[in-house]
Amino acid sequence: MSTAISTNKADKVNPAVKSTAYRAKRRFIIISLVPILLLFGVFAFLPIAWSLGLSAFKYDPLSSNAIFVGAENYIRMFQDSIFLKSLWVTFKFVFIAVLINIVITLLIASAIQRVRIPWLKNGFRTIFFLPTIAPLAGTAIVWNTMFNYNDGLFNMILAKMNMAPIQWLSDPHYALYSVIMMTLWADIGYNIVLFIAGLDSIPDMYYEAATLEGAGRWHVFLHITLPLLRRTLLFVSITTVVSYFQAFPQFQIMTKGGPFNETRVLSLQIYEQAFSSSNMGYASAMATVFLMIILLVTLLQLRWGRTQWEH
Amino acid sequence: MDIVSGSAGFFPSKPSLDGYRTVFSEAPFVTWLLNSLMTSVIITVVTLFTSALAGYVFAKHQFRGKKLLFILILATMMIPFQVIMIPTYLITAELGLVNHLLAIILPNLVSSYGVFLAKQFIEEIPQELLEAARMDGSGEFRLMLRIVMPLILPMLSALGIFTFMNSWNNYLWPLIVLNDESKMTVPLALVYFNGTHQVNYNVVMSAAVLITIPVIIMFLIFQKQFIKGLAMTGMK
């Protein structure tokens, strides 16, 4: 409304002043947006279209001639047992890791939120948050040494407890769970902070009312905390799912997809097909499937979240 | 860092700085640190500027196709990097930037998240304030630098911390585009040490500590903005 008043005033004062101001604004918009849009165009819009296009070609950057193959890459993909396995492993990883992540971060956040001494509360939050700021590649390497069969920290602890050592990263039964363990250690800080913020925004009066009515702790959590935390919960679950689908450094550094492809997630498979085997067309087709999965999962989560709110 | 001290308790050997000495003497570690520092600082500074600029234009100016452009920019937030990495590599190669630090910098100078956040925050700035400055003869760029940016400083500092950290820790893109040893950034350096010193833990650990320290210092200085920013933006 204020805009309307001020431009009206300018109109009455001097139309010439207004038009030069208008032209200056126009110039400002063009000068500032053109370089920014150019960057978005070259490094975001163009690659998306290119990737979709590339998935219909057999393309090896070394021989540099692209052969149009239509849907062949997609057909090949669904007969490729390694690709299918990588899909399965990706879903398994995301499902297990996200589920455990949300349960433990919610527990830790509620525990930290109960702490009433500010410096202690901050201290706890910092301790859980510190691992998240370390480079994931570094964390993966450090955990690699801890997972070592002969002199790694974990097997030393098992030995102290008189238990048999475990091939953490090379036993097909344990490899994926070892990576999940490391991922959770490296990543839970974010969600803890987000949950604490969400919990802090719930007004105390709800809890006071519930206590007056004699509700138990579990009852309060189920019927007050969880419903009021739904927004945070939806946000946290979407961002975590999307980021875990893209998890890469820990797999590339710790297991390289092995043993027996038990940790070959889709993002690793796309990377290796594109840059180790130079099958860029085939890798692009996988990337398209990857994109579809992420869009679908996000939409489903949003829809699920919305129907939950309506009740 | 926690792990290093934790496992040190487990091996009661005499402490030494040999690991650190090896890190600096056997590899161009200082160059790698400088590469990381330079790319991260440039990316952060420019991203803050472009985000504030685009946010200002989208929040306070009118032009045709504005809504569509904004939606397109937002849509790129949903695209996983694995989907665009192959064409982005081909474009970078076409530009002759493979093995060049510009390949790290150039694709990261704009952030759709940054534009989105800046727009949200700039919309809150009262129009009267901007009009008053325009009456005083301020140009749009000056307005942006002198009035808009200071007013959204809390948001910019949060965005800055996350941009710096993501760029410092970025592993996948440098792995694709940098092969030359002298051009590597620190996350790659770590993997390099792991490959050459697999038996010698303390060298790898020393390198891990060295590349984590800068972000830990950053975190300790900006802890408050960091936590607030995370709660505000939910950035990961």
Side-chain angles (χ1 to χ4, degrees):
Chain A
M1 205 167 112
S2 53
T3 339
I5 294 168
S6 46
T7 41
N8 272 347
K9 233 185 248 166
D11 261 347
K12 273 176 210 152
V13 174
N14 191 344
V17 169
K18 194 219 157 197
S19 80
T20 47
Y22 176 79
R23 232 176 288 139
K25 268 192 196 173
R26 204 71 319 199
R27 210 175 51 220
F28 168 74
I29 293 173
I30 292 170
I31 292 175
S32 48
L33 273 194
V34 165
I36 293 173
L37 289 176
L38 204 66
L39 283 168
F40 271 116
V42 175
F43 294 108
F45 305 141
L46 181 61
I48 296 167
W50 195 335
S51 182
L52 292 177
L54 205 57
S55 71
F57 285 86
K58 185 176 165 50
Y59 178 65
D60 175 354
L62 298 174
S63 71
S64 82
N65 60 329
I67 306 157
F68 183 77
V69 294
E72 202 179 276
N73 283 330
Y74 291 92
I75 295 165
R76 176 181 161 194
M77 211 154 44
F78 290 100
Q79 294 160 347
D80 177 349
S81 61
I82 296 178
F83 168 77
L84 295 175
K85 173 115 196 198
S86 76
L87 264 187
W88 165 243
V89 171
T90 309
F91 276 101
K92 199 166 142 192
F93 169 75
V94 171
F95 184 78
I96 298 173
V98 169
L99 202 70
I100 303 179
N101 179 318
I102 289 184
V103 171
I104 55 178
T105 51
L106 194 50
L107 282 176
I108 295 173
S110 335
I112 293 179
Q113 208 243 348
R114 293 254 168 77
V115 177
R116 290 293 167 204
I117 309 157
W119 66 265
L120 201 61
K121 189 174 175 177
N122 279 336
F124 278 129
R125 201 168 47 183
T126 307
I127 287 171
F128 284 106
F129 200 72
L130 269 181
T132 65
I133 57 171
L136 198 57
T139 311
I141 285 171
V142 172
W143 275 69
N144 235 357
T145 64
M146 298 201 300
F147 279 136
N148 194 300
Y149 184 75
N150 293 318
D151 46 6
L153 181 68
F154 290 121
N155 278 347
M156 282 179 148
I157 294 172
L158 287 183
K160 286 245 154 130
M161 301 193 298
N162 292 319
M163 286 160 85
I166 290 175
Q167 296 271 12
W168 295 96
L169 293 172
S170 44
D171 184 328
H173 298 293
Y174 295 114
L176 188 64
Y177 298 101
S178 304
V179 179
I180 289 174
M181 221 157 87
M182 173 265 162
T183 307
L184 290 175
W185 183 87
D187 196 64
I188 57 171
Y190 283 113
N191 290 350
I192 290 176
V193 169
L194 292 172
F195 275 132
I196 292 178
L199 290 168
D200 279 339
S201 69
I202 299 175
D204 279 335
M205 59 176 199
Y206 289 111
Y207 292 115
E208 282 156 15
T211 338
L212 280 180
E213 285 180 18
R217 218 172 236 194
W218 182 239
H219 192 85
V220 169
F221 182 76
L222 269 189
H223 293 98
I224 296 176
T225 312
L226 268 190
L228 290 171
L229 207 59
R230 229 172 238 155
R231 258 170 187 286
T232 316
L233 208 56
L234 179 68
F235 181 77
V236 165
S237 61
I238 290 180
T239 51
T240 311
V241 165
V242 170
S243 87
Y244 281 7
F245 262 111
Q246 299 178 56
F248 176 81
Q250 60 267 58
F251 291 102
Q252 204 254 350
I253 293 168
M254 294 173 82
T255 61
K256 301 212 156 39
F260 305 113
N261 296 320
E262 281 299 327
T263 61
R264 184 170 296 279
V265 284
L266 200 47
S267 65
L268 181 66
Q269 181 64 3
I270 296 171
Y271 168 81
E272 289 198 341
Q273 281 294 327
F275 297 102
S276 307
S277 316
S278 292
N279 291 326
M280 289 199 168
Y282 189 40
S284 297
M286 288 182 188
T288 309
V289 172
F290 189 57
L291 177 66
M292 294 303 156
I293 292 172
I294 289 198
L295 290 182
L296 201 71
V297 169
T298 314
L299 285 178
L300 281 177
Q301 277 177 300
L302 280 173
R303 163 149 298 182
W304 170 78
R306 199 171 308 142
T307 49
Q308 292 268 302
W309 284 336
E310 278 163 8
H311 288 302
Chain B
M1 290 229 312
D2 295 6
I3 302 159
V4 176
S5 51
S7 54
F10 237 74
F11 313 115
S13 59
K14 56 177 194 297
S16 82
L17 292 174
D18 275 357
Y20 293 94
R21 220 165 290 142
T22 316
V23 167
F24 282 106
S25 62
E26 271 191 23
F29 197 76
V30 177
T31 314
W32 295 338
L33 276 176
L34 287 177
N35 287 347
S36 272
L37 196 68
M38 195 179 81
T39 51
S40 302
V41 167
I42 294 176
I43 287 172
T44 307
V45 171
V46 179
T47 301
L48 289 185
F49 183 75
T50 56
S51 299
L53 195 59
Y56 175 49
V57 173
F58 279 113
K60 296 291 185 192
H61 291 81
Q62 300 304 324
F63 58 92
R64 232 188 318 154
K66 181 171 110 163
K67 220 173 189 167
L68 179 72
L69 267 181
F70 188 65
I71 289 172
L72 279 178
I73 291 177
L74 281 197
T76 64
M77 262 189 327
M78 301 271 292
I79 310 294
F81 181 69
Q82 277 89 355
V83 173
I84 58 167
M85 71 184 178
I86 299 167
T88 309
Y89 171 78
L90 295 174
I91 292 168
T92 317
E94 204 63 42
L95 295 171
L97 294 178
V98 172
N99 257 327
H100 201 292
L101 287 181
L102 263 181
I104 305 292
I105 297 171
L106 218 49
N108 291 308
L109 294 179
V110 286
S111 143
S112 44
Y113 214 88
V115 174
F116 170 71
L117 282 179
K119 178 183 178 265
Q120 299 295 100
F121 278 75
I122 292 170
E123 269 170 353
E124 305 290 309
I125 297 174
Q127 195 70 34
E128 291 88 345
L129 198 65
L130 301 178
E131 287 303 330
R134 280 188 190 122
M135 290 290 195
D136 291 340
S138 266
E140 295 292 318
F141 274 107
R142 258 179 66 128
L143 208 66
M144 210 274 296
L145 283 175
R146 293 283 164 80
I147 294 174
V148 174
M149 283 186 84
L151 285 173
I152 58 165
L153 210 57
M155 174 254 137
L156 286 180
S157 55
L159 179 66
I161 295 163
F162 283 102
T163 310
F164 182 88
M165 200 183 82
N166 285 339
S167 151
W168 183 270
N169 292 349
N170 193 359
Y171 176 70
L172 177 52
W173 179 237
L175 180 71
I176 292 171
V177 92
L178 304 176
N179 307 308
D180 195 342
E181 240 176 59
S182 69
K183 293 287 159 54
M184 294 200 305
T185 53
V186 285
L188 298 183
L190 207 57
V191 180
Y192 167 90
F193 279 118
N194 195 40
T196 50
H197 289 272
Q198 241 164 7
V199 243
N200 212 351
Y201 286 171
N202 67 337
V203 176
V204 180
M205 296 292 186
S206 309
V209 169
L210 284 173
I211 78 168
T212 308
I213 282 176
V215 270
I216 294 210
I217 293 174
M218 271 265 297
F219 174 72
L220 293 177
I221 296 174
F222 296 111
Q223 194 169 1
K224 232 179 214 150
Q225 281 98 316
F226 211 98
I227 302 282
K228 223 188 271 165
L230 183 63
M232 178 168 79
T233 65
M235 230 174 326
K236 270 206 172 187

